[in-house]
């Protein structure tokens, strides 16, 4: 009976040793694999394209001065109608033109004890705005503004509020292709890194997409827009 117990204990001990050894091997192998999956590489992919703006906002602003308020309003109406006729004559739709209320300033109400009197008591600033998708037509008309100057209309082109603005409104149409391009370029960079480091590129661990940015290509061609997006992707690496 004692011999049987000794044999059983020996077998149990051997089994425990083998069991712990196997468990240790599995744990060691799992740890190695875990460390392999801890190796990552983070890369960025850039997609950049140029598009022509599809909307232009063009404010045409002029100023007038007078000592007679009623006459000033009449002159504002006359100049406004002249500008509208000029625009429609050159191919801009009347429905693309809007008129704002004139901003009238009474200079006598702005004098704070000064003895110097302004030559004209009232000044007016009026804005006629073109909102159009006919980019080429509007740009051609911009080059002919001197016709209005020859008719005595004083334009305020240096004012920031009178600068044309170009919009690209089709971003949602081009987003999928640009995201795909940025992702593909990021993977190409990751594959090159893996190749150079004698590693194998694994699955994506984490990915983030940057904001789309839209800017003018250059100062001389604000109607040409540069659209860009950067995707940041982290991949697993293994030996």
């Amino acid at each position: 009976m004692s011999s049987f117990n000794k044999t059983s204990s020996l077998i149990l001990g051997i089994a425990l040793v083998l069991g712990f050894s196997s468990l240790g091997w599995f744990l060691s192998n799992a740890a190695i694999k875990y460390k392999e999956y801890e190796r990552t590489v983070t890369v960025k992919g850039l997609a950049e394209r140029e598009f022509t703006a599809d909307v232009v906002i063009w404010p045409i602003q002029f100023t007038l001065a007078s000592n007679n308020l009623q006459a000033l309003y009449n002159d504002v109406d006359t100049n406004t109608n002249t500008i509208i006729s000029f625009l429609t004559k050159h191919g801009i739709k009347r429905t693309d033109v809007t008129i704002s209320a004139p901003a009238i300033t009474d200079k006598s109400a702005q004098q704070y004890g000064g003895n110097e009197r302004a030559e004209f008591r009232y000044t007016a600033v009026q804005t006629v705005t073109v909102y159009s998708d006919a980019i080429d037509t509007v740009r051609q008309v911009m080059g002919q503004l001197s016709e209005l100057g020859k008719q005595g209309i004083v334009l305020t082109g240096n004012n920031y509020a009178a600068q044309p603005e170009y919009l690209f409104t089709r971003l949602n149409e081009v987003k999928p292709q640009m995201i795909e391009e940025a992702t593909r370029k990021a993977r190409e960079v990751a594959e090159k890194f893996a190749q150079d480091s004698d590693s194998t590129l694994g699955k994506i661990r984490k990915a983030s997409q940057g904001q789309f940015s839209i800017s003018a290509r250059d100062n001389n061609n604000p109607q040409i827009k540069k659209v860009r997006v950067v995707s940041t992707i982290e991949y697993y690496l293994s030996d």
Side-chain angles (χ1 to χ4, degrees):
M1 188 70 178
S2 176
S3 175
F4 176 77
N5 289 337
K6 288 181 179 179
T7 302
S8 298
S9 298
L10 179 61
I11 294 173
L12 179 60
I14 293 173
L16 288 173
V17 170
L18 291 175
F20 282 124
S21 298
S22 299
L23 179 61
W25 183 86
F26 282 119
L27 289 175
S28 175
N29 191 48
I32 292 173
K33 289 185 177 180
Y34 177 74
K35 288 182 179 179
E36 287 179 350
Y37 278 109
E38 277 188 325
R39 291 179 54 207
T40 62
V41 59
T42 301
V43 293
K44 295 181 182 293
L46 168 66
E48 187 174 74
R49 298 185 185 181
E50 290 184 359
F51 300 93
T52 301
D54 45 70
V55 172
V56 58
I57 304 174
W58 178 29
I60 305 171
Q61 197 173 82
F62 65 88
T63 60
L64 286 168
S66 177
N67 287 317
N68 186 303
L69 186 58
Q70 183 176 351
L72 181 63
Y73 273 106
N74 290 336
D75 290 342
V76 168
D77 290 341
T78 299
N79 283 6
T80 300
N81 291 330
T82 299
I83 292 174
I84 293 174
S85 298
F86 164 79
L87 294 173
T88 55
K89 181 182 72 173
H90 288 86
I92 295 178
K93 299 177 183 178
R94 177 61 183 87
T95 53
D96 291 343
V97 181
T98 57
I99 306 166
S100 63
I104 307 296
T105 301
D106 184 352
K107 292 188 176 181
S108 67
Q110 295 182 338
Q111 293 180 358
Y112 301 97
N115 295 323
E116 185 178 350
R117 294 177 60 88
E119 181 179 358
F120 296 103
R121 176 177 176 178
Y122 303 104
T123 60
V125 178
Q126 172 70 306
T127 304
V128 178
T129 303
V130 176
Y131 186 100
S132 174
D133 58 4
I135 305 294
D136 293 337
T137 299
V138 173
R139 286 182 60 80
Q140 289 177 2
V141 177
M142 287 178 181
Q144 302 177 52
L145 276 182
S146 59
E147 292 184 21
L148 294 176
K150 293 176 182 178
Q151 298 181 54
I153 298 178
V154 181
L155 302 175
T156 56
N158 294 329
N159 191 336
Y160 177 79
Q163 297 300 312
E165 180 182 3
Y166 295 91
L167 306 178
F168 178 69
T169 64
R170 297 184 292 108
L171 181 59
N172 286 337
E173 296 179 16
V174 303
K175 269 185 176 182
Q177 299 93 332
M178 293 192 66
I179 292 174
E180 179 182 352
E181 180 183 349
T183 303
R184 185 182 70 252
K185 289 183 176 179
R187 184 171 184 85
E188 290 173 357
V189 174
E191 288 175 341
K192 182 65 169 62
F193 179 88
Q195 180 182 353
D196 293 343
S197 61
D198 293 327
S199 302
T200 300
L201 192 65
K203 295 181 178 180
I204 293 176
R205 180 178 183 272
K206 185 170 58 176
S208 63
Q209 175 197 314
Q211 294 290 329
F212 276 83
S213 65
I214 303 176
S215 60
R217 187 187 67 182
D218 56 73
N219 293 332
N220 296 322
N221 296 279
Q223 80 281 8
I224 300 177
K225 297 299 183 181
K226 181 184 293 184
V227 182
R228 57 180 287 160
V229 65
V230 176
S231 292
T232 303
I233 304 177
E234 184 178 1
Y235 289 94
Y236 285 111
L237 290 175
S238 60
D239 292 331

